[in-house]
Amino acid sequence: MAEVTPTGRATGVTVVGLDAAGAPPHPALAPVLAAAGLVVGAARHLASAPVPAGADTVTLGPLAPAVRRLTDAVAAGVPAVVLASGDPGLFGIVRRLRAAGLPLRVVPAVSSVAAAFARAGLPWDGAAVVTAHGRDPRAALNACRALPLVAVLTAPGAGAAELGAGLVGWSRRLLVAEHLGAAAERVREVTAEQAAAETWADPHVLLSIGDVATADTAPADTARDRVAPGGMRVDNQPAAAPAGGWALPESRYAHRDSMITKSEVRALVVARLRPRLGRLIWDVGAGSGSVGIECASLGAAVLAVERDTGSAAAIRANAAAHAVDVRLVIGRAPEALTGLPEPDAVFVGGGGVDVLAAVAARRPERVVLTLAALDRVAPAVGLLRTAGYTVEGCQLSAARLADLPGGSIRLAATNPVVVLTGERQ
């Protein structure tokens, strides 16, 4: 923390947010600026603030020179002020200054995210806030694909146009907030296709809004326990593990002719797929959709591919019952895989060698498949190794407790299954 002298002057670094919503500066700004010997900020912030005539200034570009000047000021006991946008603790400069070991006092203003939700008249206590600035934007895109309410701090080349293009095929409303707090402020609601076709001012905030059913007919410990009206989770954790767990019994899913990955196998498969917020997982030959739905419950974006229309109806019903958003593509693999967004991991629950070959050709980080026929194991392992994957596998066989007449208990064996995991080298 910044130290305070007996006269009340801060001797460390005071980081002051300038209101993204256009409100007057915080009352603390004037006195800390009046006492400052060094003021750091973007050109627009320095121009808009009452910087004292005797203070040194540093215009932000690369951060390293500014950090050196701030470090020298702290060592010399010179009060320093950093001007930033909105709440500088929200994906802002506070993290970098703390990493440099600088003593900080932070005076936040309304963040651009809070301002965007306010302009739209929307609550955002159930929203996930992510950034596409300075990092791979696919994680932010997949968060929008997975969750019903996401705010994205954008960057040039990773804004509403690019994210909109990646959300085509997902049921999303997009609100784009440009020039917040300025005379040119504009907040528009558009479709993903419209967002992709337009040019947007930088920086802007994107709100991605989905429609997740609350499923009044959902079983206990599923949708009713986790989701409030409007899609917000009641546990205040928009991407946390589901309270009801995963590897759920088959009875928790609608399925046809027992065409469902058994819970014991599903537990290992989901673990191998490593679902989390920011990843996109394909469930190919989805059947009941149980694997993909449990990955979605753990925060991943999920795209299910299924050729059978009856099974497709079950996937839709199961996704609604578990209050997750799974994009469904009805078609026969491998043809149905053409043009789909690149996955991070793929579960192949159905199809032959041609499907596995098509999946491996897309080069996801991980490929997981289950096989009941032993004569298909060696060709699958060979194909994945030829495609550049290291492969590990195991055979799972479970025996479940079953009651016998008279109160006795026996073990009822389930069908053994081979689980293969390919990891890209």
Side-chain angles (χ1 to χ4, degrees):
M1 293 180 62
E3 296 182 5
V4 178
T5 69
T7 61
R9 289 200 337 167
T11 58
V13 178
T14 302
V15 185
V16 180
L18 299 180
D19 202 318
H26 192 283
L29 177 60
V32 297
L33 273 179
L38 174 67
V39 182
V40 176
R44 69 184 188 277
H45 294 147
L46 293 172
S48 65
V51 178
D56 293 332
T57 61
V58 175
T59 302
L60 280 175
L63 189 58
V67 170
R68 287 195 294 270
R69 291 288 301 276
L70 290 166
T71 302
D72 292 343
V74 169
V78 175
V81 174
V82 177
L83 302 176
S85 294
D87 184 347
L90 178 69
F91 293 111
I93 198 170
V94 168
R95 184 183 302 276
R96 296 286 298 276
L97 298 181
R98 288 285 298 180
L102 292 168
L104 301 181
R105 173 192 177 206
V106 180
V107 182
V110 173
S111 70
S112 58
V113 172
F117 277 108
R119 294 294 193 266
L122 292 173
W124 63 291
D125 42 13
V129 180
V130 299
T131 182
H133 194 279
R135 61 195 71 188
D136 187 343
R138 290 189 305 164
L141 173 59
N142 285 331
C144 293
R145 289 166 170 167
L147 299 179
L149 191 59
V150 181
V152 184
L153 295 165
T154 66
E162 293 78 13
L163 294 169
L167 287 170
V168 172
W170 273 264
S171 178
R172 294 292 183 273
R173 294 186 296 123
L174 304 182
L175 273 72
V176 185
E178 303 170 278
H179 299 295
L180 282 166
E185 178 180 302
R186 182 174 70 162
V187 179
R188 293 179 56 203
E189 180 176 330
V190 294
T191 65
E193 291 84 355
Q194 290 169 332
E198 294 204 23
T199 300
W200 304 93
D202 288 314
H204 56 270
V205 176
L206 173 74
L207 306 184
S208 174
I209 305 167
D211 298 312
V212 175
T214 56
D216 292 337
T217 58
D221 299 324
T222 59
R224 288 182 300 180
D225 293 323
R226 297 191 289 113
V227 181
M232 188 189 79
R233 287 181 57 135
V234 297
D235 58 8
N236 292 324
Q237 300 182 72
W246 57 97
L248 301 175
E250 295 90 86
S251 59
R252 299 286 285 274
Y253 296 96
H255 54 90
R256 200 167 53 84
D257 301 326
S258 296
M259 297 296 291
I260 182 171
T261 303
K262 300 299 187 288
S263 60
E264 296 87 354
V265 176
R266 198 181 327 123
L268 178 62
V269 167
V270 171
R272 291 287 188 260
L273 290 168
R274 297 179 180 173
R276 65 180 185 274
L277 187 64
R279 287 171 66 84
L280 173 62
I281 292 176
W282 287 0
D283 184 358
V284 180
S288 68
S290 62
V291 169
I293 286 167
E294 295 197 355
C295 289
S297 295
L298 292 164
V302 175
L303 203 159
V305 179
E306 175 56 51
R307 67 181 183 181
D308 180 76
T309 56
S311 295
I315 294 171
R316 289 193 184 98
N318 288 329
H322 291 270
V324 295
D325 189 353
V326 172
R327 179 182 168 188
L328 177 61
V329 174
I330 301 176
R332 181 184 296 272
E335 294 81 9
L337 307 181
T338 302
L340 299 184
E342 300 304 322
D344 296 292
V346 179
F347 173 58
V348 182
V353 174
D354 57 338
V355 174
L356 182 60
V359 166
R362 300 294 286 269
R363 304 287 293 157
E365 294 174 11
R366 307 198 122 213
V367 179
V368 181
L369 65 154
T370 53
L371 299 168
L374 293 179
D375 58 341
R376 298 176 61 189
V377 173
V381 171
L383 189 155
L384 287 172
R385 286 176 174 168
T386 300
Y389 288 83
T390 58
V391 182
E392 63 178 39
C394 66
Q395 180 262 320
L396 292 181
S397 57
R400 299 176 176 179
L401 294 179
D403 292 330
L404 285 171
S408 295
I409 297 175
R410 69 182 181 92
L411 288 174
T414 60
N415 291 331
V417 173
V418 174
V419 180
L420 298 180
T421 303
E423 187 163 9
R424 193 176 65 201
Q425 297 178 348

